[in-house]
Amino acid sequence: MQIAEEVRGDVTILRPVGPIDSAAAPRFEARLFAALAPATPDAPEKAPAGLVLDLSAVTQLTPAGLRSLLLAVRQARPGAGSTGGRSGVRIVLAAVPGPIRGVLEEAGLAALLESHGDLDAAVRAASRQ
């Protein structure tokens, strides 16, 4: 699995390509946590306002990938992690393929994550601006 990264204003965009399975989940999780972290530990306000996951090129999402996503959702909540009291990072999904949406719904994660049909709408939703 490859993961492209882009920053638009106060939003980080991650685009995983391929399956997010047990082999890819550790790398996916590490990239999620890195994207949620502030630029410097001394400046929690420098964390991105939002994280958009463009899932358009994800071909499979297994329980290992779901676990990574759930851990990221928990980390993104306000006050989570070692920076207690920060405002939190909003995670928004973009362009989720039908089969992946079904997996998210079955796991109950679809109810926790806002989703948009296209990347631009997701970026607008995730931004503080």
Side-chain angles (χ1 to χ4, degrees):
M1 175 192 65
Q2 296 178 344
I3 303 174
E5 184 171 337
E6 176 185 349
V7 175
R8 289 191 194 173
D10 61 351
V11 175
T12 299
I13 302 163
L14 294 181
R15 289 185 188 94
V17 176
I20 304 175
D21 54 16
S22 59
R27 183 166 179 249
F28 178 60
E29 187 174 313
R31 290 295 296 272
L32 288 172
F33 275 72
L36 292 170
T40 64
D42 299 336
E45 69 279 1
K46 298 289 186 189
L51 172 61
V52 171
L53 298 175
D54 178 348
L55 301 182
S56 61
V58 172
T59 57
Q60 181 184 29
L61 184 62
T62 69
L66 287 168
R67 178 187 174 279
S68 296
L69 191 52
L70 179 59
L71 290 173
V73 169
R74 288 183 179 162
Q75 179 66 24
R77 287 184 182 157
S82 61
T83 60
R86 67 183 172 93
S87 62
V89 177
R90 187 172 187 179
I91 298 177
V92 179
L93 305 179
V96 182
I100 302 302
R101 180 174 308 284
V103 171
L104 290 168
E105 288 172 356
E106 190 174 309
L109 279 175
L112 296 176
L113 294 165
E114 185 175 344
S115 182
H116 292 272
D118 66 85
L119 182 60
D120 290 335
V123 169
R124 284 190 301 273
S127 178
R128 282 191 205 117
Q129 299 174 356

